[in-house]
Amino acid sequence: MNRTIKRAWLAAALAAAAPAAQAFAEEGLAVDVVHYWVSKSESAALDVYRKAWTAAGNRWVDMPAENKVAVQRVVSDRVANGYAPAVMQWNANEGSRELPEMGIVQDIDDVAQADHWQDVIPATVLDRISYKGKVYFAPSNIHAENWLWTSTTALAEAGVKTPQTWEELFDAAEKIKATGRLPIALGASRWEVSLIFNDIVYQKFGPEGYARLMSGDADLVQDPRMIEALDVLLRLSNYVEPIEQRKDKTWADATTAVGQGKAGMQFMGDWAKGELAARGYRVDKDFDCSLVPGTSIAYFMVIDAFAFPLTNRDGTAEAQEAFARMVLDRDNQVAFSRIKGSLPVRTDVDPSGLDRCGKLGLEMIKAKKGEVSAQSQAMPTQMSEGWIAVVGDFFNNRDTSPQEVQKRLHDLLTQR
């Protein structure tokens, strides 16, 4: 969260009650929900919570935004005007702790204690949603970023199997390209490139080195392996559409290309599986899933959650607690993740409803096998955004040397 947003939050937290707030309070258990779940699968998944909330006689005012940055902008504007939303979608990551630190979100610790969240939520998740011993976020699901999605049709026609190593992956890309299909599908957003790069970094540096880099170890950026990682990323750029051709495409468009068999592979979190399913494609028939080569011992966790800004509306705190309880309901958790492509945050769910990809992820989480915080979760917000920008521009524009990018990343991490 940048300084401008911080100032807006802080100013609003100290602001006097706005007269316009009174009208909304009359709705009883009513919430206005700011979110960026707008793709076909994301919207369908969010419907699980919308329907559960309204079925209980409550009111949901939907406030969709284009992306995470847009959510921050909408919320900061609302807060600055003394009319904070009741609920906002947020990632439970390192940067999210800024919210309770500034005293601008409501804790939901009473709900967490009463419902014994500590007994059914992995310790990693519990740590991410807590600040100084209190729970502030209601986690909706767990995603992993380090998945490789492959088209069964494209790979079969190219005569290759799902790659298990990076050399096999490049070999597959060449053979898919020879068939006239796009080897690797990608949208225009720089964060999509950063997901790929983080996989490469893990493969080059191993678990310990990856963790050090994601925590902002500037000295390690100067290691020769960083140049090797950047070289691999640059090599991959030969197998995607030029940025000019994909400037209007999203990650969901890229996912659809894999489902259709127009593209062979996509590096993307398991929300891609939700999008594939929403469009009628089936695992083991139309597409396959595997963890990215070199990361099969790891699970790059992203924790989606809801946060609850302090408001000046009567009854909102009660609604926020009820909303948090609704999010953690066991049935809602399973139904949401089945559509979203993610995993429930609760470990006491019946795994029989999960597909092969979901069962693999649940096994890794239950076994605490290789739980790793994704880059976007481990770094403070501004550092993470800077990392994504540097890596994404390098990949998309190809006008900077790996050595210059290494220097930029080093400078970024030394500014923390």
Side-chain angles (χ1 to χ4, degrees), residues 210-240:
Y210 173 88
R212 285 173 57 192
L213 284 169
M214 295 305 110
S215 65
D217 189 330
D219 291 338
L220 193 57
V221 172
Q222 297 178 306
D223 189 288
R225 287 172 292 180
M226 181 57 71
I227 297 296
E228 294 176 9
L230 290 165
D231 283 338
V232 172
L233 185 66
L234 193 61
R235 185 179 173 189
L236 275 176
S237 68
N238 295 315
Y239 299 102
V240 305

mmCIF file of all heavy atoms in Angstrom, residues 210-240:
data_model
loop_
_atom_site.group_PDB
_atom_site.id
_atom_site.type_symbol
_atom_site.label_atom_id
_atom_site.label_comp_id
_atom_site.label_asym_id
_atom_site.label_seq_id
_atom_site.Cartn_x
_atom_site.Cartn_y
_atom_site.Cartn_z
ATOM 1 N N TYR A 210 15.373 -19.224 -2.143
ATOM 2 C CA TYR A 210 14.109 -18.603 -2.542
ATOM 3 C C TYR A 210 13.517 -17.808 -1.378
ATOM 4 O O TYR A 210 13.100 -16.661 -1.538
ATOM 5 C CB TYR A 210 13.125 -19.671 -3.000
ATOM 6 C CG TYR A 210 11.731 -19.152 -3.276
ATOM 7 C CD1 TYR A 210 11.373 -18.667 -4.531
ATOM 8 C CD2 TYR A 210 10.759 -19.141 -2.267
ATOM 9 C CE1 TYR A 210 10.097 -18.181 -4.776
ATOM 10 C CE2 TYR A 210 9.482 -18.661 -2.501
ATOM 11 C CZ TYR A 210 9.157 -18.186 -3.757
ATOM 12 O OH TYR A 210 7.890 -17.702 -3.991
ATOM 13 N N ALA A 211 13.492 -18.429 -0.190
ATOM 14 C CA ALA A 211 12.929 -17.763 0.988
ATOM 15 C C ALA A 211 13.695 -16.488 1.318
ATOM 16 O O ALA A 211 13.099 -15.459 1.670
ATOM 17 C CB ALA A 211 12.929 -18.715 2.177
ATOM 18 N N ARG A 212 15.015 -16.528 1.187
ATOM 19 C CA ARG A 212 15.823 -15.342 1.474
ATOM 20 C C ARG A 212 15.529 -14.222 0.479
ATOM 21 O O ARG A 212 15.386 -13.056 0.859
ATOM 22 C CB ARG A 212 17.307 -15.704 1.441
ATOM 23 C CG ARG A 212 17.807 -16.484 2.651
ATOM 24 C CD ARG A 212 19.244 -16.934 2.459
ATOM 25 N NE ARG A 212 20.142 -15.802 2.191
ATOM 26 C CZ ARG A 212 21.405 -15.952 1.768
ATOM 27 N NH1 ARG A 212 21.896 -17.167 1.558
ATOM 28 N NH2 ARG A 212 22.158 -14.880 1.559
ATOM 29 N N LEU A 213 15.405 -14.575 -0.784
ATOM 30 C CA LEU A 213 15.116 -13.558 -1.795
ATOM 31 C C LEU A 213 13.732 -12.963 -1.595
ATOM 32 O O LEU A 213 13.540 -11.752 -1.704
ATOM 33 C CB LEU A 213 15.225 -14.175 -3.196
ATOM 34 C CG LEU A 213 16.649 -14.407 -3.703
ATOM 35 C CD1 LEU A 213 16.629 -15.266 -4.956
ATOM 36 C CD2 LEU A 213 17.355 -13.083 -3.976
ATOM 37 N N MET A 214 12.770 -13.810 -1.306
ATOM 38 C CA MET A 214 11.404 -13.319 -1.131
ATOM 39 C C MET A 214 11.246 -12.486 0.137
ATOM 40 O O MET A 214 10.301 -11.713 0.270
ATOM 41 C CB MET A 214 10.412 -14.482 -1.106
ATOM 42 C CG MET A 214 10.315 -15.259 -2.413
ATOM 43 S SD MET A 214 9.941 -14.237 -3.863
ATOM 44 C CE MET A 214 11.487 -14.298 -4.770
ATOM 45 N N SER A 215 12.178 -12.634 1.058
ATOM 46 C CA SER A 215 12.149 -11.806 2.271
ATOM 47 C C SER A 215 12.959 -10.527 2.087
ATOM 48 O O SER A 215 13.094 -9.732 3.011
ATOM 49 C CB SER A 215 12.664 -12.593 3.483
ATOM 50 O OG SER A 215 14.034 -12.928 3.325
ATOM 51 N N GLY A 216 13.523 -10.351 0.883
ATOM 52 C CA GLY A 216 14.200 -9.091 0.568
ATOM 53 C C GLY A 216 15.698 -9.100 0.757
ATOM 54 O O GLY A 216 16.294 -8.044 1.009
ATOM 55 N N ASP A 217 16.358 -10.257 0.624
ATOM 56 C CA ASP A 217 17.810 -10.347 0.791
ATOM 57 C C ASP A 217 18.495 -9.758 -0.445
ATOM 58 O O ASP A 217 18.657 -10.428 -1.471
ATOM 59 C CB ASP A 217 18.210 -11.811 0.981
ATOM 60 C CG ASP A 217 19.675 -11.974 1.373
ATOM 61 O OD1 ASP A 217 20.488 -11.129 0.960
ATOM 62 O OD2 ASP A 217 19.999 -12.951 2.067
ATOM 63 N N ALA A 218 18.920 -8.506 -0.359
ATOM 64 C CA ALA A 218 19.506 -7.819 -1.507
ATOM 65 C C ALA A 218 20.844 -8.416 -1.919
ATOM 66 O O ALA A 218 21.184 -8.451 -3.112
ATOM 67 C CB ALA A 218 19.679 -6.330 -1.186
ATOM 68 N N ASP A 219 21.626 -8.897 -0.952
ATOM 69 C CA ASP A 219 22.942 -9.452 -1.277
ATOM 70 C C ASP A 219 22.821 -10.681 -2.183
ATOM 71 O O ASP A 219 23.613 -10.863 -3.109
ATOM 72 C CB ASP A 219 23.692 -9.832 -0.001
ATOM 73 C CG ASP A 219 24.101 -8.610 0.809
ATOM 74 O OD1 ASP A 219 24.192 -7.513 0.210
ATOM 75 O OD2 ASP A 219 24.313 -8.740 2.026
ATOM 76 N N LEU A 220 21.806 -11.500 -1.923
ATOM 77 C CA LEU A 220 21.654 -12.735 -2.695
ATOM 78 C C LEU A 220 21.256 -12.452 -4.147
ATOM 79 O O LEU A 220 21.508 -13.266 -5.036
ATOM 80 C CB LEU A 220 20.620 -13.655 -2.036
ATOM 81 C CG LEU A 220 20.574 -15.103 -2.532
ATOM 82 C CD1 LEU A 220 21.935 -15.769 -2.390
ATOM 83 C CD2 LEU A 220 19.515 -15.898 -1.780
ATOM 84 N N VAL A 221 20.658 -11.310 -4.393
ATOM 85 C CA VAL A 221 20.298 -10.948 -5.765
ATOM 86 C C VAL A 221 21.544 -10.871 -6.643
ATOM 87 O O VAL A 221 21.483 -11.103 -7.854
ATOM 88 C CB VAL A 221 19.547 -9.596 -5.789
ATOM 89 C CG1 VAL A 221 19.344 -9.101 -7.216
ATOM 90 C CG2 VAL A 221 18.197 -9.743 -5.114
ATOM 91 N N GLN A 222 22.687 -10.563 -6.043
ATOM 92 C CA GLN A 222 23.929 -10.413 -6.806
ATOM 93 C C GLN A 222 24.590 -11.748 -7.132
ATOM 94 O O GLN A 222 25.609 -11.794 -7.820
ATOM 95 C CB GLN A 222 24.895 -9.518 -6.032
ATOM 96 C CG GLN A 222 24.361 -8.098 -5.845
ATOM 97 C CD GLN A 222 25.291 -7.218 -5.030
ATOM 98 O OE1 GLN A 222 25.689 -7.568 -3.916
ATOM 99 N NE2 GLN A 222 25.648 -6.070 -5.585
ATOM 100 N N ASP A 223 23.999 -12.836 -6.648
ATOM 101 C CA ASP A 223 24.513 -14.171 -6.933
ATOM 102 C C ASP A 223 24.426 -14.457 -8.445
ATOM 103 O O ASP A 223 23.454 -14.063 -9.091
ATOM 104 C CB ASP A 223 23.672 -15.197 -6.150
ATOM 105 C CG ASP A 223 24.259 -16.596 -6.193
ATOM 106 O OD1 ASP A 223 24.182 -17.229 -7.269
ATOM 107 O OD2 ASP A 223 24.757 -17.068 -5.159
ATOM 108 N N PRO A 224 25.426 -15.144 -9.022
ATOM 109 C CA PRO A 224 25.398 -15.472 -10.466
ATOM 110 C C PRO A 224 24.151 -16.260 -10.890
ATOM 111 O O PRO A 224 23.753 -16.197 -12.057
ATOM 112 C CB PRO A 224 26.664 -16.311 -10.661
ATOM 113 C CG PRO A 224 27.573 -15.881 -9.559
ATOM 114 C CD PRO A 224 26.684 -15.573 -8.389
ATOM 115 N N ARG A 225 23.540 -16.964 -9.937
ATOM 116 C CA ARG A 225 22.345 -17.726 -10.288
ATOM 117 C C ARG A 225 21.180 -16.821 -10.687
ATOM 118 O O ARG A 225 20.264 -17.250 -11.398
ATOM 119 C CB ARG A 225 21.935 -18.628 -9.115
ATOM 120 C CG ARG A 225 22.846 -19.821 -8.907
ATOM 121 C CD ARG A 225 22.515 -20.574 -7.638
ATOM 122 N NE ARG A 225 22.832 -19.777 -6.440
ATOM 123 C CZ ARG A 225 22.634 -20.197 -5.185
ATOM 124 N NH1 ARG A 225 22.115 -21.400 -4.971
ATOM 125 N NH2 ARG A 225 22.968 -19.424 -4.160
ATOM 126 N N MET A 226 21.212 -15.563 -10.257
ATOM 127 C CA MET A 226 20.158 -14.638 -10.667
ATOM 128 C C MET A 226 20.248 -14.363 -12.171
ATOM 129 O O MET A 226 19.218 -14.276 -12.858
ATOM 130 C CB MET A 226 20.263 -13.340 -9.869
ATOM 131 C CG MET A 226 19.179 -12.322 -10.206
ATOM 132 S SD MET A 226 17.486 -12.932 -9.974
ATOM 133 C CE MET A 226 17.404 -13.017 -8.166
ATOM 134 N N ILE A 227 21.456 -14.251 -12.692
ATOM 135 C CA ILE A 227 21.633 -14.074 -14.133
ATOM 136 C C ILE A 227 21.128 -15.318 -14.866
ATOM 137 O O ILE A 227 20.464 -15.219 -15.911
ATOM 138 C CB ILE A 227 23.105 -13.808 -14.490
ATOM 139 C CG1 ILE A 227 23.579 -12.494 -13.845
ATOM 140 C CG2 ILE A 227 23.296 -13.761 -16.004
ATOM 141 C CD1 ILE A 227 22.866 -11.263 -14.357
ATOM 142 N N GLU A 228 21.429 -16.483 -14.323
ATOM 143 C CA GLU A 228 20.949 -17.729 -14.944
ATOM 144 C C GLU A 228 19.416 -17.757 -14.979
ATOM 145 O O GLU A 228 18.816 -18.157 -15.986
ATOM 146 C CB GLU A 228 21.466 -18.941 -14.154
ATOM 147 C CG GLU A 228 22.979 -19.127 -14.198
ATOM 148 C CD GLU A 228 23.427 -20.281 -13.315
ATOM 149 O OE1 GLU A 228 22.557 -21.031 -12.817
ATOM 150 O OE2 GLU A 228 24.644 -20.450 -13.121
ATOM 151 N N ALA A 229 18.790 -17.331 -13.887
ATOM 152 C CA ALA A 229 17.327 -17.317 -13.818
ATOM 153 C C ALA A 229 16.753 -16.346 -14.853
ATOM 154 O O ALA A 229 15.767 -16.659 -15.540
ATOM 155 C CB ALA A 229 16.870 -16.939 -12.413
ATOM 156 N N LEU A 230 17.361 -15.180 -14.968
ATOM 157 C CA LEU A 230 16.895 -14.187 -15.933
ATOM 158 C C LEU A 230 17.097 -14.667 -17.369
ATOM 159 O O LEU A 230 16.280 -14.390 -18.257
ATOM 160 C CB LEU A 230 17.613 -12.855 -15.700
ATOM 161 C CG LEU A 230 17.201 -12.124 -14.414
ATOM 162 C CD1 LEU A 230 18.203 -11.029 -14.074
ATOM 163 C CD2 LEU A 230 15.797 -11.532 -14.546
ATOM 164 N N ASP A 231 18.161 -15.416 -17.609
ATOM 165 C CA ASP A 231 18.401 -15.978 -18.938
ATOM 166 C C ASP A 231 17.309 -16.985 -19.310
ATOM 167 O O ASP A 231 16.853 -17.029 -20.458
ATOM 168 C CB ASP A 231 19.771 -16.652 -18.999
ATOM 169 C CG ASP A 231 20.923 -15.658 -19.129
ATOM 170 O OD1 ASP A 231 20.669 -14.523 -19.579
ATOM 171 O OD2 ASP A 231 22.062 -16.020 -18.769
ATOM 172 N N VAL A 232 16.907 -17.798 -18.349
ATOM 173 C CA VAL A 232 15.833 -18.771 -18.599
ATOM 174 C C VAL A 232 14.534 -18.035 -18.920
ATOM 175 O O VAL A 232 13.804 -18.399 -19.846
ATOM 176 C CB VAL A 232 15.639 -19.709 -17.387
ATOM 177 C CG1 VAL A 232 14.383 -20.579 -17.570
ATOM 178 C CG2 VAL A 232 16.859 -20.588 -17.190
ATOM 179 N N LEU A 233 14.253 -16.988 -18.151
ATOM 180 C CA LEU A 233 13.037 -16.201 -18.393
ATOM 181 C C LEU A 233 13.063 -15.586 -19.792
ATOM 182 O O LEU A 233 12.047 -15.601 -20.508
ATOM 183 C CB LEU A 233 12.906 -15.109 -17.339
ATOM 184 C CG LEU A 233 11.613 -14.289 -17.392
ATOM 185 C CD1 LEU A 233 10.403 -15.150 -17.063
ATOM 186 C CD2 LEU A 233 11.680 -13.098 -16.433
ATOM 187 N N LEU A 234 14.218 -15.058 -20.176
ATOM 188 C CA LEU A 234 14.347 -14.448 -21.502
ATOM 189 C C LEU A 234 14.151 -15.496 -22.596
ATOM 190 O O LEU A 234 13.517 -15.228 -23.621
ATOM 191 C CB LEU A 234 15.722 -13.788 -21.630
ATOM 192 C CG LEU A 234 15.910 -12.847 -22.822
ATOM 193 C CD1 LEU A 234 14.933 -11.681 -22.753
ATOM 194 C CD2 LEU A 234 17.358 -12.339 -22.856
ATOM 195 N N ARG A 235 14.656 -16.681 -22.365
ATOM 196 C CA ARG A 235 14.482 -17.771 -23.342
ATOM 197 C C ARG A 235 13.005 -18.127 -23.508
ATOM 198 O O ARG A 235 12.537 -18.387 -24.620
ATOM 199 C CB ARG A 235 15.295 -18.989 -22.881
ATOM 200 C CG ARG A 235 15.312 -20.148 -23.857
ATOM 201 C CD ARG A 235 16.157 -21.282 -23.300
ATOM 202 N NE ARG A 235 16.059 -22.484 -24.126
ATOM 203 C CZ ARG A 235 16.553 -23.675 -23.776
ATOM 204 N NH1 ARG A 235 17.203 -23.798 -22.620
ATOM 205 N NH2 ARG A 235 16.405 -24.722 -24.575
ATOM 206 N N LEU A 236 12.280 -18.099 -22.414
ATOM 207 C CA LEU A 236 10.847 -18.401 -22.463
ATOM 208 C C LEU A 236 10.066 -17.378 -23.282
ATOM 209 O O LEU A 236 9.037 -17.699 -23.881
ATOM 210 C CB LEU A 236 10.264 -18.457 -21.052
ATOM 211 C CG LEU A 236 10.364 -19.760 -20.271
ATOM 212 C CD1 LEU A 236 9.813 -19.557 -18.873
ATOM 213 C CD2 LEU A 236 9.610 -20.873 -20.968
ATOM 214 N N SER A 237 10.557 -16.155 -23.299
ATOM 215 C CA SER A 237 9.837 -15.094 -24.004
ATOM 216 C C SER A 237 9.746 -15.359 -25.509
ATOM 217 O O SER A 237 8.938 -14.738 -26.201
ATOM 218 C CB SER A 237 10.493 -13.734 -23.753
ATOM 219 O OG SER A 237 11.769 -13.650 -24.372
ATOM 220 N N ASN A 238 10.554 -16.301 -26.003
ATOM 221 C CA ASN A 238 10.501 -16.659 -27.419
ATOM 222 C C ASN A 238 9.270 -17.496 -27.766
ATOM 223 O O ASN A 238 8.989 -17.706 -28.945
ATOM 224 C CB ASN A 238 11.757 -17.445 -27.816
ATOM 225 C CG ASN A 238 13.028 -16.621 -27.718
ATOM 226 O OD1 ASN A 238 13.061 -15.482 -28.161
ATOM 227 N ND2 ASN A 238 14.062 -17.185 -27.122
ATOM 228 N N TYR A 239 8.559 -17.959 -26.733
ATOM 229 C CA TYR A 239 7.450 -18.892 -26.967
ATOM 230 C C TYR A 239 6.089 -18.307 -26.599
ATOM 231 O O TYR A 239 5.113 -19.042 -26.507
ATOM 232 C CB TYR A 239 7.702 -20.190 -26.191
ATOM 233 C CG TYR A 239 8.970 -20.884 -26.634
ATOM 234 C CD1 TYR A 239 10.139 -20.798 -25.880
ATOM 235 C CD2 TYR A 239 9.006 -21.590 -27.832
ATOM 236 C CE1 TYR A 239 11.310 -21.411 -26.299
ATOM 237 C CE2 TYR A 239 10.168 -22.215 -28.258
ATOM 238 C CZ TYR A 239 11.317 -22.123 -27.492
ATOM 239 O OH TYR A 239 12.483 -22.731 -27.923
ATOM 240 N N VAL A 240 6.035 -17.006 -26.389
ATOM 241 C CA VAL A 240 4.756 -16.344 -26.126
ATOM 242 C C VAL A 240 4.503 -15.314 -27.231
ATOM 243 O O VAL A 240 5.405 -14.954 -27.984
ATOM 244 C CB VAL A 240 4.738 -15.639 -24.748
ATOM 245 C CG1 VAL A 240 5.084 -16.606 -23.641
ATOM 246 C CG2 VAL A 240 5.687 -14.440 -24.734
#
